């Protein structure tokens, strides 16, 4: 049994924890932006493939108390690094986070951890020089109140990079954030869903993957494939198991629109790539079935009318940060008041970092959810 640490947006720990439990793994504590859990060797593969709201998954290599650099070195040295690396692996301490600890030099921590890892490998393998010509492996360090966590990255590129988006436009929403919104809104496949500011189609595409139970990582590679513990045969078996869970027998009404024709074209292309990936996964198990593509149209949101008596809008309108300015964003928010008249009976969820949203739209949300997206502190305004 191994201990793992999954990272997520601050504010999404509960949702990620629920995902982990649904995969059958036991939670083992959390902190802002991360969730710890216990799992077998299969958890390495299944969590990277299946978690929709996690940014990365790490193996916890060591956890100990260190009040000085000797303690830091010794605790890291004790880990079984020889089980994970090859003799040509390039080991990089990519990030260090320190909070309220006697050790306070991030640069020195990086150096000491790297030395400890290579010292352990050298002692075990009787080597003094390492070529470092192989694949890179990243280590992350958390030191909080003198408690050290040494983490080995198993994901590689952040998990929001599913592999289906070739062009995100100017300010794309992260795929993991879109998945968080769907969960916060309690969206289910039987509920019609529309995004009137679809941009590159992230919310719509993530809803499609969720509705048809497509594991989001089926179309990409992971850092664990470069580790010595990697079992390719077992990984392929798990991918086939996840492919067999894809639902092709359900009908969903998932749509998006945008006033920008180029954005709609991007959204269609990205959604198509995601659906093609699902099709290829099905081919792994000998199925020629396909999942239904979502629909996109070019339209100003103010011209839209509800096509059904009930449904859900989840959207990410311009913030005024990377697209336009705050005044332009607030003008859009004021116009968005028409959605409540044009979509009566629909639940509406809007994510933005502008605190003036409620006053601009003229309605106060029934619930607010704080979510940190990248470097932005955003709020999901939920209207039921």
């Amino acid at each position: 049994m191994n201990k793992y640490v999954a990272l997520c947006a601050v504010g999404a720990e509960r949702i990620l924890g629920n995902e982990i439990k649904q995969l059958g793994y036991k939670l083992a504590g959390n902190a802002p932006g991360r969730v710890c859990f216990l799992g077998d060797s299969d958890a390495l593969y299944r969590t990277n493939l299946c978690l929709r709201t996690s940014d990365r998954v790490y193996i916890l290599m060591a956890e100990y108390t260190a009040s000085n650099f000797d303690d830091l070195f010794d605790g890291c040295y004790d880990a079984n690094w020889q089980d994970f690396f090859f003799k040509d692996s390039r080991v990089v301490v990519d990030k260090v986070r320190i909070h309220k600890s006697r050790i306070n030099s991030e640069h020195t921590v990086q150096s000491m951890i790297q030395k400890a890892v290579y010292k352990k490998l050298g002692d075990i393998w009787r080597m003094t020089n390492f070529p470092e010509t192989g694949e890179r492996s990243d280590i992350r360090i958390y030191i909080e109140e003198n408690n050290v966590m040494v983490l080995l990255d198993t994901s590689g590129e952040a998990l929001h990079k599913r592999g289906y988006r070739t062009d995100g436009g100017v300010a794309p929403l992260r795929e993991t954030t879109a998945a968080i919104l769907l969960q916060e809104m309690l969206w289910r496949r039987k509920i019609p869903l529309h995004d009137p500011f679809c941009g590159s189609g992230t919310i719509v595409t993530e809803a499609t993957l969720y509705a048809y139970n497509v594991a989001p990582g089926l179309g990409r590679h992971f850092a664990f494939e470069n580790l010595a513990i990697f079992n390719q045969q077992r990984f392929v078996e798990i991918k086939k198991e996840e492919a067999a869970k894809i639902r092709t027998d359900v009908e969903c009404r998932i749509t998006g629109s945008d006033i920008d024709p180029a954005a709609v074209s991007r959204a269609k292309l990205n959604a198509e790539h995601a659906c093609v990936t699902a099709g290829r996964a099905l081919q792994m198990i000998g199925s020629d079935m396909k999942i239904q593509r979502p629909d996109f149209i070019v339209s100003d949101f103010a011209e839209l009318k509800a096509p059904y008596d009930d449904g859900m809008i989840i959207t990410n309108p311009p913030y005024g940060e990377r697209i336009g300015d705050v005044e332009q964003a607030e003008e859009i928010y004021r116009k968005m008041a028409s959605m409540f008249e044009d979509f009566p009976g629909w639940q509406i969820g809007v994510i933005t970092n502008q605190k003036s949203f409620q006053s601009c739209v003229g309605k106060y949300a029934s619930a607010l959810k704080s979510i940190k997206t990248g470097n932005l502190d955003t709020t999901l305004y939920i209207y039921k």
Side-chain angles (χ1 to χ4, degrees), residues 113-272:
I113 293 294
Q114 195 158 23
K115 286 180 180 178
V117 172
Y118 278 118
K119 180 69 165 62
K120 179 62 171 284
L121 296 178
D123 290 348
I124 294 292
W125 293 336
R126 299 174 185 262
M127 296 174 62
T128 56
N129 294 307
F130 293 87
E132 295 188 309
T133 55
E135 297 295 335
R136 168 174 166 163
S137 292
D138 288 346
I139 294 172
R140 180 169 296 193
I141 306 297
Y142 288 105
I143 306 177
E144 297 175 352
E145 297 182 349
N146 301 322
N147 295 311
V148 182
M149 296 176 70
V150 182
L151 307 175
L152 177 61
D153 182 26
T154 70
S155 300
E157 280 198 305
L159 293 178
H160 77 269
K161 296 183 178 180
R162 317 291 204 208
Y164 63 72
R165 187 163 65 184
T166 55
D167 185 357
V170 178
L173 185 72
R174 282 189 178 185
E175 291 83 342
T176 45
T177 304
I180 292 168
L181 300 184
L182 292 165
Q183 293 300 315
E184 288 285 11
M185 292 293 294
L186 302 178
W187 180 75
R188 297 296 179 263
R189 66 169 67 94
K190 66 180 180 180
I191 303 173
L193 176 71
H194 185 75
D195 179 2
F197 297 91
C198 71
S200 59
T202 307
I203 292 173
V204 171
T205 303
E206 287 297 313
T208 301
L209 296 179
Y210 177 64
Y212 295 100
N213 203 33
V214 180
L218 283 171
R220 54 160 286 169
H221 293 283
F222 303 94
F224 61 68
E225 296 175 60
N226 300 320
L227 298 176
I229 59 170
F230 177 53
N231 183 330
Q232 185 171 8
Q233 180 179 348
R234 184 57 185 148
F235 181 45
V236 171
E237 290 172 354
I238 290 176
K239 288 178 76 171
K240 289 181 177 179
E241 290 174 9
E242 295 307 322
K245 297 175 184 177
I246 296 175
R247 297 286 302 272
T248 59
D249 59 341
V250 295
E251 292 187 4
C252 305
R253 292 165 289 184
I254 303 171
T255 56
S257 61
D258 201 287
I259 196 172
D260 181 5
V264 171
S265 295
R266 283 194 299 269
K268 288 180 179 179
L269 183 61
N270 292 333
E272 179 63 21

Side-chain angles (χ1 to χ4, degrees), residues 81-129:
W81 297 107
Q82 70 277 5
D83 295 338
F84 293 84
F85 297 138
F86 296 102
K87 291 182 179 180
D88 65 349
S89 294
R90 183 163 66 97
V91 180
V92 176
V93 181
D94 71 326
K95 287 188 179 180
V96 175
R97 297 287 183 264
I98 301 175
H99 179 67
K100 293 182 178 179
S101 298
R102 294 185 67 181
I103 295 173
N104 57 20
S105 170
E106 293 183 4
H107 179 75
T108 305
V109 169
Q110 282 182 308
S111 177
M112 294 297 291
I113 293 294
Q114 195 158 23
K115 286 180 180 178
V117 172
Y118 278 118
K119 180 69 165 62
K120 179 62 171 284
L121 296 178
D123 290 348
I124 294 292
W125 293 336
R126 299 174 185 262
M127 296 174 62
T128 56
N129 294 307

Side-chain angles (χ1 to χ4, degrees), residues 49-70:
L49 280 172
C50 300
L51 291 177
R52 301 180 190 278
T53 61
S54 177
D55 293 318
R56 290 183 184 276
V57 177
Y58 292 90
I59 295 175
L60 180 63
M61 296 296 298
E63 188 172 19
Y64 55 95
T65 300
S67 57
N68 56 57
F69 288 110
D70 288 339

Side-chain angles (χ1 to χ4, degrees), residues 193-199 204 255-260 264 295-308 312-315 335-344 346 348:
L193 176 71
H194 185 75
D195 179 2
F197 297 91
C198 71
V204 171
T255 56
S257 61
D258 201 287
I259 196 172
D260 181 5
V264 171
D295 292 323
F296 295 93
I297 62 170
V298 177
S299 176
D300 187 330
F301 73 90
E303 298 174 354
L304 299 172
K305 302 294 181 182
Y308 310 105
M312 187 176 291
I313 285 176
I314 304 179
T315 193
K335 292 179 179 178
M336 286 176 68
S338 65
M339 286 198 312
F340 296 91
E341 299 176 2
D342 296 332
F343 288 81
W346 283 49
I348 296 176

Side-chain angles (χ1 to χ4, degrees), residues 212-215 218 239-249 274-293:
Y212 295 100
N213 203 33
V214 180
L218 283 171
K239 288 178 76 171
K240 289 181 177 179
E241 290 174 9
E242 295 307 322
K245 297 175 184 177
I246 296 175
R247 297 286 302 272
T248 59
D249 59 341
C275 293
V276 167
T277 296
R280 288 173 179 164
L282 288 166
Q283 290 173 1
M284 291 176 59
I285 57 172
S287 172
D288 60 357
M289 299 296 288
K290 295 179 173 59
I291 65 172
Q292 181 181 339
R293 273 57 172 166

